[in-house]
Amino acid sequence: MRQRRIALFVTLVLALPAGRAFAQAAIPGPAAGVQGAPAPGGAAGPGGRAGGRGGGAPVVIGPPAPVPAEVAIPRPTPAELDQTNAALKRLIDNDKSAAAPLLKKFEPLMLLQTPKPNNAATFTQTQQRMGARHEGFVAQAQQGNIDLLLHGDSITDWWLQDANKPMFDKYFGQYRTANFAVAGDTTQGVAWGLRNGEGQGFQPKAIMLMIGTNNTGANTAPEIAEGVGAVVMEMRRDFPNAKILLLAIFPRSTPGDPVRDKIAEVNRIISKLQDNQHVFYMDIGQTFLDDKGVFLPDSFRADNLHPQAKGYDLWGQAVSAKIAELMK
């Protein structure tokens, strides 16, 4: 019986990827997969990320942001950590099976580690939220008269590029709309911007949010989901009467790329944020793909990340009715 219990415990522990269930991944520095932010007409950054130029002031990880319970990663308290590890050590020390040497050898891998902070769920001033664009958003927020707010990274930012602007006007021209998305930004940067002037001075009727693709290089799926949850919670704090259309992160790359699986996992978790009162979740990713999972011709750029005008048209068609409903 003891051997079966050990085998089950070991299987469960080793099945947990590092940094997943207990957020054990170390906090990355400013160069960990985040590019700088161009103005709304810039090109995609190196490596096909939703960003632009690099450089600028160093990024200092900010304080943790509150996270909704629906997406919170389970983290043991110090007492639970000690209790669990003590129980596991007793099982290993008392094992008399042929696997005992292996259990002892790999004991350090099986013991739970102290959870590390999740930088995706912090208020961190990213390079994208430094300088003129952030200051411009704050000024625009203070002017008010915003009924529909668009927020996210370059995928949302580039609705305003010259080639895509006709699609923006087609679907959002009838509303008093602001777009506070910045190419290259992450969940932590959006949360910081909202807390520091971009979320004060106006009360939109509706918000369309998609964020997290730029976190995929440095964070696990549960960490990204916590970051998205932190942004949603901050929006609920700043805009208590707004209806939030939370979009699933769009697919990127090509079929078979592990990043698609990570994004799918993020989307499964953040779908739990929907309450059909203030938060409405919508996954339109399949709109852009054929039956093999490849982006439809002319809908996305060659980077398999950023929509082109046709992609924005498909996006607008997919959300226009829901936006109109939320704007009432």
Side-chain angles (χ1 to χ4, degrees), residues 63-69 121-123 195 226-234 237:
V67 172
T122 59
F123 295 106
R195 179 60 67 94
E226 275 200 331
V228 175
V231 172
V232 170
M233 183 168 275
E234 181 62 24
R237 173 183 177 274

Side-chain angles (χ1 to χ4, degrees), residues 50 120 129 151-156 180-191 208-216 224-225 227-232 235 245-250 263 266-267 270:
R129 297 287 156 182
H151 222 320
D153 47 47
S154 60
I155 298 170
T156 298
F180 286 178
V182 180
D185 213 357
T186 52
T187 54
Q188 57 265 39
V190 171
M208 183 169 68
L209 168 68
M210 180 174 58
I211 190 64
T213 199
N214 287 318
N215 291 87
T216 55
I224 298 168
V228 175
V231 172
V232 170
M235 287 181 166
L245 179 58
L246 174 61
L247 294 181
I249 301 172
F250 288 171
I263 288 172
V266 175
N267 290 339
I270 66 174

Side-chain angles (χ1 to χ4, degrees), residues 110-173:
M110 293 185 285
L111 295 178
L112 300 184
Q113 305 300 313
T114 302
K116 299 296 192 298
N118 175 15
N119 69 307
T122 59
F123 295 106
T124 295
Q125 186 180 20
T126 54
Q127 293 178 4
Q128 290 76 13
R129 297 287 156 182
M130 297 177 185
R133 291 205 72 189
H134 164 65
E135 293 164 4
F137 293 152
V138 172
Q140 188 176 1
Q142 291 302 315
Q143 292 173 4
N145 297 320
I146 299 170
D147 291 329
L148 174 62
L149 176 64
L150 308 186
H151 222 320
D153 47 47
S154 60
I155 298 170
T156 298
D157 185 4
W158 293 356
W159 273 100
L160 301 178
Q161 285 188 332
D162 290 344
N164 306 323
K165 185 65 162 55
M167 298 300 107
F168 178 88
D169 294 337
K170 177 180 178 180
Y171 294 105
F172 307 118

Side-chain angles (χ1 to χ4, degrees), residues 1-50:
M1 177 64 71
R2 180 183 292 122
Q3 293 174 7
R4 289 166 61 186
R5 288 166 59 195
I6 293 175
L8 176 61
F9 200 104
V10 169
T11 300
L12 291 174
V13 172
L14 293 182
L16 295 174
R20 182 181 173 190
F22 301 114
Q24 294 175 6
I27 292 178
V34 178
Q35 300 298 315
R49 295 188 180 92

Side-chain angles (χ1 to χ4, degrees), residues 2-3 6 10 85-97 99-108 110-111:
R2 180 183 292 122
Q3 293 174 7
I6 293 175
V10 169
N85 284 338
L88 180 57
K89 285 178 67 66
R90 284 195 301 272
L91 289 171
I92 295 173
D93 290 342
N94 294 325
D95 185 72
K96 306 301 182 184
S97 72
L102 291 177
L103 293 175
K104 200 65 181 176
K105 177 179 179 180
F106 295 113
E107 178 181 316
M110 293 185 285
L111 295 178

